[in-house]
Amino acid sequence: MAQPPELTAAVRRFAALPTVLVATDFDGALAPLVTDPLRSRPVEGGMETLAAIADLPGTTVALVSGRALAPLRELSGATEPLLLVGSHGVEDSRRPDGLALDDEQRDLLATLDADLRAVVERHPGTRVEDKPAGRVLHTRGLDPEVGAAALESAHALGERHTSLVVTPGKEVVELAVAHVGKGVALVDLAQELGVDGVFYAGDDLTDEQGFAALADDPDQDRAARRLTVRVGDGETGAQFRVPDEPSLVEVLRALLDARRKHRPAG
Ligand SMILES: [Mg+2]
């Protein structure tokens, strides 16, 4: 499918910036959503295109996901110099020592485990994904009423333990003892790298935090040079929208081609 001319023009402008961060969500952006989260795979050409972009001068590429770092690395097959930001910004592949949870957070994680086991027993078919700083309850593929009841129980846990950070998604809810959020993670990374512009694409509610944070970047010039893309339907604060994962890969290919032609010296 042909890209809208406004998106093509925005990609060309972005590609000509001296230094950029090209970041994308993984599930639902590069990899189609699947019932079993451990079976998700990137669409054809996606990771190869990101790797080629990362090889260009003045260009950093990052996968920014709600997933824990280890499964994100395994499922994406990403290798350096791609950066991996996992657990909504709680994990960063540049810090291999992982997380520093305090005693209180560790205790809360143990309590959360016990409480979620009870939720799964009450709502058979629900699945719990372990993350370093939290747990995710998945209800994809379940009868919608069963799924909704399970998610409601998980939200109730969030209300009982007020220091838990609750992040709802599509047929999924994450309960975390430490939380950064994709918005903070993206702006912090852009700041740290000192890039002129940030590209970000994603498909879910947590990605909306990213789009909003990049629009509100304290560096207003960088905010003006952002390029944000929502993958799929749903309300969005992103500047552009593409229908599906293969279309995002097309945008990334266009970015690669444009940056190869217009890349800065160096
Ligand atoms: Mg996603």
Side-chain angles (χ1 to χ4, degrees), residues 4 6-8 10-11 13 211 226-231 236-242:
E6 296 82 4
L7 176 54
T8 305
V11 165
R13 274 197 305 276
F211 303 143
R226 77 192 185 282
L227 207 180
T228 51
V229 180
R230 169 86 177 209
V231 182
T236 188
Q239 297 159 300
F240 297 97
R241 186 193 300 278
V242 294

PDB file of all heavy atoms in Angstrom, residues 4 6-8 10-11 13 211 226-231 236-242:
ATOM      1  N   PRO A   4       0.893   7.701   2.490  1.00  0.00           N
ATOM      2  CA  PRO A   4       0.393   9.043   2.198  1.00  0.00           C
ATOM      3  C   PRO A   4       1.577   9.981   1.955  1.00  0.00           C
ATOM      4  O   PRO A   4       2.624   9.831   2.590  1.00  0.00           O
ATOM      5  CB  PRO A   4      -0.383   9.426   3.458  1.00  0.00           C
ATOM      6  CG  PRO A   4      -0.046   8.407   4.495  1.00  0.00           C
ATOM      7  CD  PRO A   4       0.517   7.203   3.804  1.00  0.00           C
ATOM      8  N   GLU A   6       2.180  12.942   2.833  1.00  0.00           N
ATOM      9  CA  GLU A   6       2.624  13.696   4.023  1.00  0.00           C
ATOM     10  C   GLU A   6       3.624  12.864   4.833  1.00  0.00           C
ATOM     11  O   GLU A   6       4.596  13.387   5.362  1.00  0.00           O
ATOM     12  CB  GLU A   6       1.429  14.054   4.919  1.00  0.00           C
ATOM     13  CG  GLU A   6       0.408  14.979   4.290  1.00  0.00           C
ATOM     14  CD  GLU A   6      -0.587  14.244   3.390  1.00  0.00           C
ATOM     15  OE1 GLU A   6      -0.541  13.000   3.314  1.00  0.00           O
ATOM     16  OE2 GLU A   6      -1.396  14.938   2.742  1.00  0.00           O
ATOM     17  N   LEU A   7       3.357  11.551   4.931  1.00  0.00           N
ATOM     18  CA  LEU A   7       4.259  10.674   5.688  1.00  0.00           C
ATOM     19  C   LEU A   7       5.591  10.528   4.957  1.00  0.00           C
ATOM     20  O   LEU A   7       6.661  10.596   5.562  1.00  0.00           O
ATOM     21  CB  LEU A   7       3.589   9.311   5.914  1.00  0.00           C
ATOM     22  CG  LEU A   7       4.429   8.234   6.622  1.00  0.00           C
ATOM     23  CD1 LEU A   7       4.986   8.739   7.956  1.00  0.00           C
ATOM     24  CD2 LEU A   7       3.602   6.964   6.850  1.00  0.00           C
ATOM     25  N   THR A   8       5.522  10.362   3.630  1.00  0.00           N
ATOM     26  CA  THR A   8       6.745  10.251   2.833  1.00  0.00           C
ATOM     27  C   THR A   8       7.609  11.507   3.020  1.00  0.00           C
ATOM     28  O   THR A   8       8.827  11.408   3.219  1.00  0.00           O
ATOM     29  CB  THR A   8       6.399  10.088   1.339  1.00  0.00           C
ATOM     30  OG1 THR A   8       5.512   8.961   1.224  1.00  0.00           O
ATOM     31  CG2 THR A   8       7.625   9.858   0.505  1.00  0.00           C
ATOM     32  N   ALA A  10       7.533  13.621   5.565  1.00  0.00           N
ATOM     33  CA  ALA A  10       8.012  13.688   6.949  1.00  0.00           C
ATOM     34  C   ALA A  10       9.198  12.748   7.150  1.00  0.00           C
ATOM     35  O   ALA A  10      10.166  13.083   7.844  1.00  0.00           O
ATOM     36  CB  ALA A  10       6.880  13.332   7.912  1.00  0.00           C
ATOM     37  N   VAL A  11       9.147  11.575   6.511  1.00  0.00           N
ATOM     38  CA  VAL A  11      10.260  10.615   6.616  1.00  0.00           C
ATOM     39  C   VAL A  11      11.517  11.217   5.998  1.00  0.00           C
ATOM     40  O   VAL A  11      12.611  11.115   6.558  1.00  0.00           O
ATOM     41  CB  VAL A  11       9.882   9.267   5.941  1.00  0.00           C
ATOM     42  CG1 VAL A  11      11.118   8.408   5.711  1.00  0.00           C
ATOM     43  CG2 VAL A  11       8.855   8.513   6.786  1.00  0.00           C
ATOM     44  N   ARG A  13      12.287  14.428   5.635  1.00  0.00           N
ATOM     45  CA  ARG A  13      12.791  15.505   6.511  1.00  0.00           C
ATOM     46  C   ARG A  13      13.535  14.919   7.700  1.00  0.00           C
ATOM     47  O   ARG A  13      14.619  15.353   8.064  1.00  0.00           O
ATOM     48  CB  ARG A  13      11.616  16.358   7.045  1.00  0.00           C
ATOM     49  CG  ARG A  13      11.186  17.485   6.139  1.00  0.00           C
ATOM     50  CD  ARG A  13      10.329  18.500   6.907  1.00  0.00           C
ATOM     51  NE  ARG A  13       9.176  17.896   7.560  1.00  0.00           N
ATOM     52  CZ  ARG A  13       8.015  17.652   6.948  1.00  0.00           C
ATOM     53  NH1 ARG A  13       7.868  17.951   5.671  1.00  0.00           N
ATOM     54  NH2 ARG A  13       7.009  17.107   7.609  1.00  0.00           N
ATOM     55  N   PHE A 211       4.159   8.851  22.481  1.00  0.00           N
ATOM     56  CA  PHE A 211       3.839   9.916  21.515  1.00  0.00           C
ATOM     57  C   PHE A 211       3.657  11.257  22.239  1.00  0.00           C
ATOM     58  O   PHE A 211       4.138  12.293  21.781  1.00  0.00           O
ATOM     59  CB  PHE A 211       2.546   9.578  20.751  1.00  0.00           C
ATOM     60  CG  PHE A 211       2.573   8.263  20.016  1.00  0.00           C
ATOM     61  CD1 PHE A 211       1.435   7.461  19.937  1.00  0.00           C
ATOM     62  CD2 PHE A 211       3.737   7.821  19.394  1.00  0.00           C
ATOM     63  CE1 PHE A 211       1.456   6.247  19.256  1.00  0.00           C
ATOM     64  CE2 PHE A 211       3.769   6.605  18.712  1.00  0.00           C
ATOM     65  CZ  PHE A 211       2.620   5.824  18.650  1.00  0.00           C
ATOM     66  N   ARG A 226      10.078  15.576  15.829  1.00  0.00           N
ATOM     67  CA  ARG A 226       9.708  14.184  16.082  1.00  0.00           C
ATOM     68  C   ARG A 226       8.910  13.621  14.906  1.00  0.00           C
ATOM     69  O   ARG A 226       8.330  14.390  14.122  1.00  0.00           O
ATOM     70  CB  ARG A 226       8.872  14.070  17.359  1.00  0.00           C
ATOM     71  CG  ARG A 226       7.426  14.496  17.177  1.00  0.00           C
ATOM     72  CD  ARG A 226       6.716  14.648  18.491  1.00  0.00           C
ATOM     73  NE  ARG A 226       5.297  14.933  18.320  1.00  0.00           N
ATOM     74  CZ  ARG A 226       4.785  16.124  18.007  1.00  0.00           C
ATOM     75  NH1 ARG A 226       5.591  17.161  17.790  1.00  0.00           N
ATOM     76  NH2 ARG A 226       3.488  16.280  17.889  1.00  0.00           N
ATOM     77  N   LEU A 227       8.903  12.293  14.841  1.00  0.00           N
ATOM     78  CA  LEU A 227       8.067  11.618  13.834  1.00  0.00           C
ATOM     79  C   LEU A 227       7.431  10.430  14.546  1.00  0.00           C
ATOM     80  O   LEU A 227       8.123   9.476  14.921  1.00  0.00           O
ATOM     81  CB  LEU A 227       8.933  11.158  12.657  1.00  0.00           C
ATOM     82  CG  LEU A 227       8.254  11.027  11.295  1.00  0.00           C
ATOM     83  CD1 LEU A 227       9.259  10.573  10.247  1.00  0.00           C
ATOM     84  CD2 LEU A 227       7.059  10.122  11.294  1.00  0.00           C
ATOM     85  N   THR A 228       6.109  10.520  14.790  1.00  0.00           N
ATOM     86  CA  THR A 228       5.443   9.470  15.562  1.00  0.00           C
ATOM     87  C   THR A 228       4.378   8.791  14.711  1.00  0.00           C
ATOM     88  O   THR A 228       3.656   9.447  13.965  1.00  0.00           O
ATOM     89  CB  THR A 228       4.821  10.032  16.853  1.00  0.00           C
ATOM     90  OG1 THR A 228       4.013  11.179  16.547  1.00  0.00           O
ATOM     91  CG2 THR A 228       5.899  10.460  17.832  1.00  0.00           C
ATOM     92  N   VAL A 229       4.320   7.468  14.819  1.00  0.00           N
ATOM     93  CA  VAL A 229       3.453   6.663  13.955  1.00  0.00           C
ATOM     94  C   VAL A 229       2.678   5.634  14.780  1.00  0.00           C
ATOM     95  O   VAL A 229       3.281   4.810  15.462  1.00  0.00           O
ATOM     96  CB  VAL A 229       4.290   5.911  12.884  1.00  0.00           C
ATOM     97  CG1 VAL A 229       3.380   5.084  11.979  1.00  0.00           C
ATOM     98  CG2 VAL A 229       5.122   6.883  12.052  1.00  0.00           C
ATOM     99  N   ARG A 230       1.375   5.689  14.706  1.00  0.00           N
ATOM    100  CA  ARG A 230       0.535   4.679  15.345  1.00  0.00           C
ATOM    101  C   ARG A 230       0.327   3.527  14.370  1.00  0.00           C
ATOM    102  O   ARG A 230      -0.004   3.755  13.195  1.00  0.00           O
ATOM    103  CB  ARG A 230      -0.811   5.291  15.726  1.00  0.00           C
ATOM    104  CG  ARG A 230      -1.866   4.298  16.150  1.00  0.00           C
ATOM    105  CD  ARG A 230      -1.778   3.945  17.629  1.00  0.00           C
ATOM    106  NE  ARG A 230      -2.864   3.031  17.988  1.00  0.00           N
ATOM    107  CZ  ARG A 230      -3.394   2.970  19.199  1.00  0.00           C
ATOM    108  NH1 ARG A 230      -2.956   3.739  20.171  1.00  0.00           N
ATOM    109  NH2 ARG A 230      -4.359   2.112  19.458  1.00  0.00           N
ATOM    110  N   VAL A 231       0.521   2.313  14.850  1.00  0.00           N
ATOM    111  CA  VAL A 231       0.289   1.127  14.021  1.00  0.00           C
ATOM    112  C   VAL A 231      -1.092   0.567  14.359  1.00  0.00           C
ATOM    113  O   VAL A 231      -1.358   0.246  15.516  1.00  0.00           O
ATOM    114  CB  VAL A 231       1.379   0.059  14.267  1.00  0.00           C
ATOM    115  CG1 VAL A 231       1.147  -1.149  13.366  1.00  0.00           C
ATOM    116  CG2 VAL A 231       2.769   0.640  14.038  1.00  0.00           C
ATOM    117  N   THR A 236      -5.433   8.108  18.771  1.00  0.00           N
ATOM    118  CA  THR A 236      -3.988   8.303  18.907  1.00  0.00           C
ATOM    119  C   THR A 236      -3.575   9.772  18.933  1.00  0.00           C
ATOM    120  O   THR A 236      -4.249  10.633  18.361  1.00  0.00           O
ATOM    121  CB  THR A 236      -3.222   7.589  17.770  1.00  0.00           C
ATOM    122  OG1 THR A 236      -1.811   7.655  18.067  1.00  0.00           O
ATOM    123  CG2 THR A 236      -3.469   8.221  16.413  1.00  0.00           C
ATOM    124  N   GLY A 237      -2.473  10.019  19.621  1.00  0.00           N
ATOM    125  CA  GLY A 237      -1.836  11.325  19.618  1.00  0.00           C
ATOM    126  C   GLY A 237      -0.647  11.341  18.669  1.00  0.00           C
ATOM    127  O   GLY A 237       0.094  12.319  18.616  1.00  0.00           O
ATOM    128  N   ALA A 238      -0.453  10.226  17.927  1.00  0.00           N
ATOM    129  CA  ALA A 238       0.665  10.177  16.970  1.00  0.00           C
ATOM    130  C   ALA A 238       0.347  11.054  15.766  1.00  0.00           C
ATOM    131  O   ALA A 238      -0.806  11.326  15.461  1.00  0.00           O
ATOM    132  CB  ALA A 238       0.918   8.740  16.519  1.00  0.00           C
ATOM    133  N   GLN A 239       1.405  11.474  15.053  1.00  0.00           N
ATOM    134  CA  GLN A 239       1.220  12.345  13.889  1.00  0.00           C
ATOM    135  C   GLN A 239       0.703  11.582  12.676  1.00  0.00           C
ATOM    136  O   GLN A 239       0.008  12.139  11.843  1.00  0.00           O
ATOM    137  CB  GLN A 239       2.560  12.993  13.530  1.00  0.00           C
ATOM    138  CG  GLN A 239       3.113  13.894  14.622  1.00  0.00           C
ATOM    139  CD  GLN A 239       4.602  14.075  14.446  1.00  0.00           C
ATOM    140  OE1 GLN A 239       5.361  13.110  14.475  1.00  0.00           O
ATOM    141  NE2 GLN A 239       5.026  15.309  14.262  1.00  0.00           N
ATOM    142  N   PHE A 240       1.102  10.299  12.583  1.00  0.00           N
ATOM    143  CA  PHE A 240       0.732   9.500  11.416  1.00  0.00           C
ATOM    144  C   PHE A 240       0.230   8.131  11.863  1.00  0.00           C
ATOM    145  O   PHE A 240       0.422   7.752  13.017  1.00  0.00           O
ATOM    146  CB  PHE A 240       1.939   9.325  10.473  1.00  0.00           C
ATOM    147  CG  PHE A 240       2.426  10.621   9.905  1.00  0.00           C
ATOM    148  CD1 PHE A 240       3.493  11.294  10.491  1.00  0.00           C
ATOM    149  CD2 PHE A 240       1.801  11.182   8.801  1.00  0.00           C
ATOM    150  CE1 PHE A 240       3.932  12.512   9.980  1.00  0.00           C
ATOM    151  CE2 PHE A 240       2.236  12.398   8.283  1.00  0.00           C
ATOM    152  CZ  PHE A 240       3.303  13.063   8.874  1.00  0.00           C
ATOM    153  N   ARG A 241      -0.394   7.444  10.926  1.00  0.00           N
ATOM    154  CA  ARG A 241      -0.911   6.113  11.202  1.00  0.00           C
ATOM    155  C   ARG A 241      -0.623   5.211  10.016  1.00  0.00           C
ATOM    156  O   ARG A 241      -0.716   5.632   8.860  1.00  0.00           O
ATOM    157  CB  ARG A 241      -2.419   6.194  11.429  1.00  0.00           C
ATOM    158  CG  ARG A 241      -3.056   4.880  11.867  1.00  0.00           C
ATOM    159  CD  ARG A 241      -4.569   4.924  11.762  1.00  0.00           C
ATOM    160  NE  ARG A 241      -5.195   5.951  12.568  1.00  0.00           N
ATOM    161  CZ  ARG A 241      -5.475   5.850  13.864  1.00  0.00           C
ATOM    162  NH1 ARG A 241      -5.137   4.759  14.517  1.00  0.00           N
ATOM    163  NH2 ARG A 241      -6.065   6.829  14.506  1.00  0.00           N
ATOM    164  N   VAL A 242      -0.229   3.959  10.322  1.00  0.00           N
ATOM    165  CA  VAL A 242      -0.139   2.932   9.278  1.00  0.00           C
ATOM    166  C   VAL A 242      -1.040   1.777   9.717  1.00  0.00           C
ATOM    167  O   VAL A 242      -1.294   1.609  10.906  1.00  0.00           O
ATOM    168  CB  VAL A 242       1.313   2.426   9.063  1.00  0.00           C
ATOM    169  CG1 VAL A 242       2.189   3.532   8.499  1.00  0.00           C
ATOM    170  CG2 VAL A 242       1.896   1.845  10.346  1.00  0.00           C
TER     171      VAL A 242
END
